[in-house]
Amino acid sequence: MNVWYNFAPMNEAQKYILQDLSLAIVDDHALILEGFKSLMQGCGVCNVETFIRSADLINVLPVKRFDVYVIDIGMPDIDGFELIDTIRAVYADARIIVNTIHEEVWLLRRMLDKDVNAIMFKSTDFMQMVDAITTVMNGEQYFCPGLKKKLTGGKQLIEHPSVREIEILNALAGGHTSKEIAAMLFISENTVETHRKRLFTKLGARNMAELIVKAVARGYINASEITGDK
């Protein structure tokens, strides 16, 4: 039994975060679920619940919220991406960690587009999962070291718009000019233009139409809020 707990010691901050943590683990392999649960309990996490089907977690979402959701993308009953959307529909600020065997670049970029809090490969060391959990509990994102190696071609991880930039995106989609947006948000027109330029860079858009299309595709704005040019 001790073999499960043969890993590097945690620091005091990690122990403090984990002691009251509630954790949901979703995976279609019973052995992985039980092993993961045992490891987390060995770290002092008492409230660990496992779900062998996505639907099992969805059924309890209305009545129970977890601090962290660790999910496998390749679930057989309900696609992991759909599960992410379902969790976020109930708890918009849910902390979601993807734990996956899939290392294909196109799938990794799709995970990043979902704005998950962490991405972990199942081949990584368990203590990296502890690091990931405690990092996302502190409000930050965590990506396992192997992820950046997989995203080749010099491209960086997707940089998501800030809260202020999302506000400006919504206003732009509503057909407002920079001057109008500045008045609405009580900021200068130059500040609006700066955020606007950053949005074009972050979303890789060449014009306003492409910016709005990409913003909708990534879920930053709702298509129903888009109006024609004023």
Side-chain angles (χ1 to χ4, degrees):
M1 189 67 174
N2 289 337
V3 66
W4 285 113
Y5 312 132
N6 184 24
F7 43 72
M10 298 179 292
N11 59 46
E12 291 303 314
Q14 288 177 321
K15 291 178 181 177
Y16 179 78
I17 290 173
L18 295 178
Q19 65 181 354
D20 295 321
L21 184 77
S22 62
L23 181 67
I25 308 171
V26 185
D27 198 288
D28 62 325
H29 294 90
L31 184 60
I32 290 178
L33 287 176
E34 290 307 310
F36 198 166
K37 182 176 181 178
S38 295
L39 286 166
M40 295 310 305
Q41 289 175 335
C43 291
V45 183
C46 296
N47 188 2
V48 181
E49 292 193 31
T50 60
F51 303 87
I52 204 162
R53 300 188 311 151
S54 297
D56 295 334
L57 173 62
I58 291 173
N59 288 337
V60 303
L61 283 178
V63 295
K64 184 160 188 179
R65 177 172 186 162
F66 294 88
D67 293 318
V68 177
Y69 300 82
V70 179
I71 70 171
D72 184 3
I73 285 295
M75 296 298 291
D77 63 329
I78 297 175
D79 177 81
F81 293 105
E82 183 179 344
L83 178 58
I84 291 171
D85 291 338
T86 303
I87 295 171
R88 287 266 167 78
V90 181
Y91 306 113
D93 59 346
R95 303 178 185 93
I96 299 175
I97 297 176
V98 173
N99 190 34
T100 182
I101 62 170
H102 298 289
E103 301 184 13
E104 299 91 338
V105 171
W106 70 273
L107 272 175
L108 296 176
R109 294 197 178 281
R110 189 178 173 194
M111 295 175 204
L112 290 167
D113 276 343
K114 286 294 182 182
D115 199 20
V116 295
N117 301 86
I119 298 176
M120 303 296 296
F121 294 152
K122 288 185 177 180
S123 58
T124 55
D125 181 84
F126 174 70
M127 277 309 296
Q128 289 182 12
M129 178 60 78
V130 173
D131 290 340
I133 291 172
T134 53
T135 297
V136 302
M137 284 297 294
N138 281 323
E140 302 174 22
Q141 285 184 306
Y142 184 98
F143 302 111
C144 67
L147 180 65
K148 291 183 180 180
K149 294 179 181 179
K150 290 291 180 179
L151 298 176
T152 56
K155 294 183 179 179
Q156 297 181 344
L157 300 179
I158 290 175
E159 187 179 2
H160 296 282
S162 65
V163 173
R164 174 64 82 188
E165 286 164 351
I166 294 294
E167 291 177 333
I168 291 173
L169 258 177
N170 277 283
L172 290 170
H176 294 285
T177 66
S178 293
K179 184 176 182 179
E180 290 171 337
I181 296 171
M184 291 163 53
L185 300 179
F186 303 103
I187 56 179
S188 71
E189 193 170 345
N190 285 338
T191 299
V192 174
E193 284 301 317
T194 297
H195 285 304
R196 185 172 170 143
K197 290 177 182 177
R198 287 176 182 169
L199 285 167
F200 275 93
T201 299
K202 288 182 177 182
L203 274 69
R206 293 165 295 182
N207 52 53
M208 182 58 65
E210 189 175 357
L211 179 72
I212 300 304
V213 167
K214 290 189 173 184
V216 171
R218 295 185 184 179
Y220 298 137
I221 58 177
N222 295 323
S224 60
E225 297 176 355
I226 301 174
T227 65
D229 292 336
K230 297 182 74 176

